[in-house]
Amino acid sequence: MPRPIQATIHTESLRHNLARARAAAPDSRVWAVVKANAYGHGIELAFDGLRAADGFALLDLDEARRVRALGWRGPVLLLEGVFEQRDLELCSRLDLWHTVHCDEQIDMLATHKTNLPHRVFLKMNSGMNRLGFTPERYRSAWTRLNALPQVDEISLMTHFSDADGAPGIAAQMAVFVAVTRDLPGERSLSNSAATLRHPEPETASDWVRPGIAIYGSAPDYPDRCASDWDLLPAMTLASKIIATQDLQAGQSVGYGSSFTATEPMRIGVVACGYADGYPRVCGTGTPVLVNGVRTRTIGRVSMDMLAVDLGPLAEAGQHLGLGTAAANEVILWGRSSQGTVLDIDEVARHAGTLGYELMCALAPRVPSLAD
Ligand SMILES: *Cc1c(COP(=O)(O)O)cnc(C)c1O
């Protein structure tokens, strides 16, 4: 029997979450953002659940190739554009649309030989100060691109830094609208947080770009959680209890003896550790589901194992039968066989991070399959 850890990618949840994004922006087309190997879900495993998207947005050229290899003939957008001249050949060959965020990318296009002019998304730095032309330089970049025979259609794009929180999007919206008012072309502005929290048609525009929401994590947790947005977890990380220990008061668990029992207790040892992508920084008290019952981790997470408190199971009248197929299911995040859900966002919070980081960090050694 292989080590009993498994990631399951829920096709129906992806479908549902994509439909939620679409419902939030009913007049827009939807890019399913599948960068970082579909946020750790695996592009090939997620594809079926996301095929109702209008296009796939990503940034790695090899991932673009993989989307085409799946038979996707619709739009594919490179969110960071090309990194060197020869990437443009792949764009021509695979019909990839690409972001243009700097002068060097326009220089590369100007010397690119192609019979098929490219569709580009011209990116404005409206305040995030990562990628894009400043508002002052945006129009001259547009004029320069528009004069190139290598360019067919220019779409206009920006990215919000605070769509998930109180600062909101108003300041960046004002900049973008003022600079682009009389420019032709389609617009794309909204990530998940903007799509859900700022659904005004002007913000939703022609294309929305949800990522995290389609994977079932709330873009604005803990302000809202996934169920508030009617999002379903697209990834379940499941394992099993492979041993139990009965602790007496005063006995401790794991490296560093960071947890010491104050009374007799039964613990389960789970086949999941930081080498599987479970954060080592999660301390005692991180929520976990055992046979659908919510309990907590105890002690330090080690490379291949972690420990859980079995007290709540006994209270729920559950008896563990080690080695039986159905029993001893441990859900690190996602959905249990009993239907109970543990939000990845909640676990992430115990690690001082976001659901994004946990799903992207699922380790390659964890076998994954789509249901
Ligand atoms: C990653 C990314 C998105 C998606 O962001 P989420 O917060 O996951 O919805 C949208 N647009 C761009 C440019 C991105 O890089």
Side-chain angles (χ1 to χ4, degrees):
M1 183 175 156
R3 188 166 165 263
I5 188 164
Q6 173 85 56
T8 306
I9 308 309
H10 304 301
T11 304
E12 274 309 320
S13 299
L14 290 166
R15 234 173 246 148
H16 169 90
N17 296 337
L18 183 69
R20 286 287 305 124
R22 203 181 272 295
D27 300 320
S28 310
R29 273 163 291 158
V30 180
W31 290 112
V33 179
V34 294
K35 62 190 178 189
N37 199 23
Y39 289 45
H41 293 63
I43 287 176
E44 288 75 13
L45 295 178
F47 181 71
D48 199 35
L50 298 177
R51 65 191 323 149
D54 298 294
F56 289 91
L58 39 74
L59 35 86
D60 185 275
L61 279 96
D62 199 53
E63 291 184 344
R65 229 184 249 121
R66 284 163 57 194
V67 169
R68 285 289 183 237
L70 287 163
W72 177 255
R73 304 177 69 131
V76 174
L77 173 63
L78 296 177
L79 289 167
E80 293 181 351
V82 298
F83 303 98
E84 58 176 340
Q85 180 81 39
R86 68 191 177 114
D87 295 346
L88 287 169
E89 287 159 28
L90 194 75
C91 292
S92 296
R93 186 145 43 87
L94 296 182
D95 188 18
L96 308 179
W97 302 359
H98 49 101
T99 299
V100 171
H101 65 78
C102 64
D103 287 312
E104 291 75 9
Q105 289 177 328
I106 305 183
D107 297 340
M108 291 182 214
L109 262 171
T111 56
H112 177 55
K113 291 186 179 50
T114 181
N115 300 323
L116 290 173
H118 291 194
R119 168 129 180 209
V120 298
F121 278 62
L122 181 61
K123 185 149 187 185
M124 184 191 298
N125 169 14
S126 57
M128 191 173 195
N129 288 308
R130 242 173 22 173
L131 299 182
F133 292 90
T134 58
E136 298 72 36
R137 304 218 32 249
Y138 192 75
R139 296 181 68 95
S140 62
W142 188 91
T143 306
R144 211 185 143 206
L145 268 181
N146 193 42
L148 295 181
Q150 291 89 344
V151 172
D152 169 22
E153 205 176 321
I154 306 173
S155 302
L156 316 179
M157 174 182 184
T158 195
H159 192 56
F160 298 122
S161 54
D162 292 277
D164 57 328
I169 61 167
Q172 285 186 265
M173 244 347 250
V175 168
F176 183 82
V177 168
V179 175
T180 59
R181 182 161 284 128
D182 56 347
L183 288 179
E186 295 190 331
R187 271 88 167 139
S188 178
L189 309 170
S190 295
N191 58 1
S192 297
T195 302
L196 295 173
R197 290 172 67 102
H198 303 281
E200 309 76 36
E202 191 180 39
T203 311
S205 68
D206 300 291
W207 292 87
V208 290
R209 306 187 303 269
I212 195 70
I214 61 181
Y215 303 104
S217 165
D220 51 357
Y221 187 84
D223 191 13
R224 302 275 212 117
C225 66
S227 59
D228 292 335
W229 292 118
D230 185 22
L231 299 170
L232 303 174
M235 178 194 288
T236 291
L237 178 60
S239 186
K240 294 208 160 180
I241 289 172
I242 56 172
T244 57
Q245 302 291 341
D246 291 300
L247 302 185
Q248 300 309 312
Q251 291 188 312
S252 60
V253 181
Y255 288 117
S257 304
S258 70
F259 175 85
T260 303
T262 54
E263 56 187 347
M265 67 186 289
R266 190 145 209 247
I267 64 162
V269 178
V270 180
C272 178
Y274 61 78
D276 300 300
Y278 192 90
R280 182 180 175 280
V281 63
C282 280
T284 295
T286 307
V288 57
L289 304 176
V290 179
N291 289 349
V293 177
R294 195 178 157 105
T295 178
R296 57 175 181 145
T297 65
I298 52 175
R300 216 171 260 175
V301 174
S302 52
M303 184 184 285
D304 310 307
M305 284 175 267
L306 56 82
V308 296
D309 182 359
L310 295 179
L313 272 87
E315 284 160 30
Q318 291 230 19
H319 299 287
L320 293 175
L322 287 187
T324 54
N328 310 327
E329 177 193 77
V330 178
I331 300 298
L332 289 315
W333 58 71
R335 192 174 71 210
S336 74
S337 305
Q338 292 78 12
T340 333
V341 167
L342 173 57
D343 281 342
I344 194 169
D345 299 319
E346 225 188 305
V347 180
R349 196 166 184 216
H350 281 261
T353 185
L354 306 172
Y356 291 84
E357 189 175 353
L358 264 53
M359 53 179 80
C360 290
L362 182 73
R365 83 170 186 183
V366 177
S368 301
L369 56 79
D371 66 6

